[in-house]
Amino acid sequence: MPLIFLTNDDGIQSQGLSALAEALAPLGEIVIFAPEQDQSATGHALTLDRPLRVNALDARRNTVSGTPTDCVYLGTRGILEARPDLLVSGINYGGNLADDITYSGTVAAAMEGTLMGIPSFAISLDGRVDCDFRAAAGFASKLAARILAQGLPTGVFLNVNVPNLPPEKVRPALITRQGKRIYGESVIHRLDPRGRKYYWIGGEEVDFVPLPNSDIVAVRQGHISVTPIRMDMTDHPLMAELETWNL
Ligand code: MN
């Protein structure tokens, strides 16, 4: 029976994680290492400045006092004896689309799985209120079965985003490229009760560039989006150009 490693960045209590575990249970043995608390937007951070605690809640669910990447690192290198056959991160509350994947703890966990040589995908629901995880859970199961059967190329993982719609309204999966967001420029400035300045960042999502075949366009049109992402971020065409700079 395949060993399926689940994690997320929203924390162990997330309904998205429970929906994922329930959907994938028929496909193999499930083991979960998830953060104790919400670790959204922690990216690919590792905890290096304090000890990590792992708490086994039951036979398959473990909490980690760290980031999503800590969960994958500890679970696969330090605790599990067998190497997982598949790693799935999610189902995240909120899409991980376009440039947002560089901030995402959900996506970073799939990156860490990929670095470990485990076929991996991240899956996110493009909604934060009245979340309906049924379509995402169903698609996760279909995709997991396919990857268990035929694997993924080395150094590549899949970033999946699902519209927050009832299953009958969700349109078929499209293979997409990473899109492009237009971020707001505003930072909120406030004064605390003692008259000192403080700030809020990252609240505003303004718009996106309507790039053809992009993840964000597909999801906004009601499609499931599947983007293959390479760990090698080298811009190969620019290498030749930089050679001419004679640095
Ligand atoms: Mn999250």
Side-chain angles (χ1 to χ4, degrees):
M1 187 136 96
L3 179 60
I4 304 175
F5 187 107
L6 304 186
T7 189
N8 73 351
D9 76 359
D10 296 327
I12 191 78
Q13 80 302 327
S14 164
Q15 285 177 29
L17 179 61
S18 317
L20 182 64
E22 198 176 315
L24 300 192
L27 300 179
E29 182 190 342
I30 304 289
V31 60
I32 301 175
F33 286 82
E36 283 175 354
Q37 287 167 351
D38 190 351
Q39 295 285 324
S40 295
T42 53
H44 203 183
L46 283 172
T47 300
L48 302 176
D49 60 347
R50 59 186 171 80
L52 291 168
R53 306 285 177 185
V54 176
N55 187 15
L57 300 181
D58 55 39
R60 71 178 195 187
R61 292 187 309 145
N62 304 276
T63 64
V64 177
S65 61
T67 66
T69 299
D70 293 332
C71 291
V72 177
Y73 192 111
L74 256 184
T76 61
R77 287 175 169 90
I79 296 176
L80 294 177
E81 282 167 16
R83 173 198 174 88
D85 299 289
L86 172 70
L87 180 147
V88 187
S89 177
I91 301 167
N92 189 58
Y93 277 88
N96 278 305
L97 295 156
D99 312 274
D100 289 350
I101 68 172
T102 63
Y103 300 105
S104 170
T106 307
V107 171
M111 290 170 59
E112 189 63 17
T114 308
L115 290 178
M116 294 292 299
I118 303 165
S120 301
F121 70 90
I123 182 162
S124 306
L125 188 75
D126 190 36
R128 292 179 193 277
V129 291
D130 299 327
C131 288
D132 184 338
F133 289 106
R134 289 176 297 165
F139 188 76
S141 164
K142 180 179 172 183
L143 182 59
R146 190 68 188 257
I147 294 173
L148 285 169
Q150 67 186 75
L152 282 174
T154 305
V156 177
F157 66 94
L158 302 181
N159 182 38
V160 180
N161 283 274
V162 180
N164 185 21
L165 296 169
E168 64 276 13
K169 294 244 171 87
V170 173
R171 298 170 74 188
L174 296 180
I175 308 305
T176 58
R177 59 177 289 190
Q178 190 185 344
K180 186 77 194 144
R181 257 200 210 295
I182 301 166
Y183 290 96
E185 288 178 6
S186 69
V187 170
I188 295 171
H189 300 239
R190 292 275 190 276
L191 288 180
D192 75 14
R194 296 187 178 84
R196 293 173 303 198
K197 282 183 184 170
Y198 68 92
Y199 306 92
W200 280 105
I201 62 170
E204 198 178 8
E205 173 189 315
V206 174
D207 205 356
F208 58 91
V209 181
L211 282 180
N213 307 320
S214 66
D215 52 9
I216 199 159
V217 169
V219 167
R220 294 297 147 85
Q221 291 175 346
H223 289 279
I224 294 173
S225 164
V226 179
T227 313
I229 306 280
R230 295 176 68 101
M231 294 299 296
D232 178 356
M233 294 188 272
T234 309
D235 188 309
H236 292 272
L238 191 59
M239 287 175 68
E241 163 71 17
L242 286 176
E243 289 290 350
T244 70
W245 290 19
N246 293 315
L247 296 172

